[in-house]
Amino acid sequence: MKYYFAPMEGITLYPLRNIHHEIFGDGIDKYYTPFLSAHHNLRFKKREKRDVMPEFIDGFENYGDVIIPQIMANRVDTFVWATREMWGLGYNEVNYNLGCPAATVTNRHKGSGLLQDTEYLDEMLDGIFNELGNFVSVDNADSTGCSDQHRISLKTRLGFYDESEAEELMKVYAKYPISELTIHARVREDFYQGKPRIDAFKRAVEIYRNAGGKADVCYNGDINSVEDAKNIDSSEVSAIMMGRGLLYNPALARQLKGGKALEADELRQYLKRLYEEYALYIPEERNVIFKMLEHWAFLHVHFEDSEKCLKAIRKARSKGEYTAAVNNMFASCEFV
Ligand SMILES: Cc1cc2nc3c(=O)[nH]c(=O)nc-3n(C[C@H](O)[C@H](O)[C@H](O)COP(=O)(O)O)c2cc1C
């Protein structure tokens, strides 16, 4: 089984990817970037482009196969443009976002908005693979930059309103030479709530296979512990993608591969290195602290009776206050 760090907007940016890889990297097979919007003007926003620039990648030997840029698009030409940009930067795989549930996204027929209209989705994929699927050998890459080392994967949900929509979606996906199909076992209307629809996920994989779908399948949704992962059948899927589970426990993938559980000292080092890396990325100290609080919202679960210490971390407004409050958390609350 392979383990992936899920794309998370505003969170799985290069500082987190670099530092997670530095300290816990052995466990993760792929890191997905938050989505980059492929705009009609064929430009990325500056901060989105920055997140995939190779000069900010640190410590990855073969980043082209380990870091996967995710693209959000609702037109063939914008997706194709964005994909070629990524291939030009040395990334071998791009992932197509068909799962984002935000109304601002779905209203524009993007993310999971595309799941409402399978006919259009089919046309999109047909157009994309017609343009990009004509892969030539690596030694013989043509002017498009296409080569047989290049891959397109999808990240989808089971439907927009209802899991029964998965049937038609899986039949569409099975028609195209995608490299991997990640299924978040929810529908759009679930957003991130409620239990993942495991039975519907299994049915979807079956439909995909029966329709001739050959891509590797990856499961996503609420894998927060070693126990959760045991429920995923390795005969059906070859990878598990985790988002919040890795924010709660950055060592989860290592543990799933038989390694040791998270230790206090390495968590401390992780937090220290994250702070340093965020400080290079974000100009204002207060905002660096806010960024660290996003992690503490998950990480506090490792400390017993931590309410008071956590409150002090949340109240910190300078690096000095923040560091003192974190030191106090490690000194006063039992690590579990
Ligand atoms: C804050 C946040 C941001 C997210 N951003 C993205 C994104 O940019 N692209 C994407 O495909 N999914 C995104 N997701 C969905 C996650 O990749 C993942 O599918 C979801 O969190 C369920 O997995 P989990 O239970 O392991 O966290 C986001 C989720 C959250 C909570």
Side-chain angles (χ1 to χ4, degrees), residues 271 278 286-300 310-317 322 326:
L271 287 162
Y278 282 139
R286 267 175 69 119
N287 293 336
V288 176
I289 295 167
F290 286 138
K291 206 83 203 126
M292 294 306 298
L293 294 184
E294 290 175 4
H295 292 278
W296 277 107
F298 292 91
L299 292 171
H300 71 87
L310 186 63
K311 212 167 160 190
I313 294 176
R314 287 198 183 118
K315 273 174 71 180
R317 290 293 173 269
Y322 169 80
V326 170

Side-chain angles (χ1 to χ4, degrees), residues 6-9 35 70 97 155 184 192 220 222 242-244:
M8 298 178 99
E9 193 186 359
F35 68 80
Q70 189 189 58
N97 181 322
K155 180 166 180 271
H184 178 188
Y192 297 109
N220 172 239
D222 287 26
M242 298 171 290
R244 293 164 296 183

Side-chain angles (χ1 to χ4, degrees), residues 112-126:
S112 64
L114 283 161
L115 306 182
Q116 285 177 290
D117 187 348
T118 35
E119 209 172 303
Y120 183 70
L121 182 60
D122 199 359
E123 272 171 37
M124 276 286 301
L125 294 173
D126 190 59

Side-chain angles (χ1 to χ4, degrees), residues 54 62-65 67 85-93 149-150:
N62 51 342
Y63 73 88
D65 291 315
I67 298 173
E85 289 283 307
M86 294 305 117
W87 290 352
L89 292 173
Y91 296 99
N92 293 325
E93 178 181 333
Q149 73 188 5
H150 289 142

Side-chain angles (χ1 to χ4, degrees), residues 71 166 268:
I71 306 293
R268 207 172 181 147

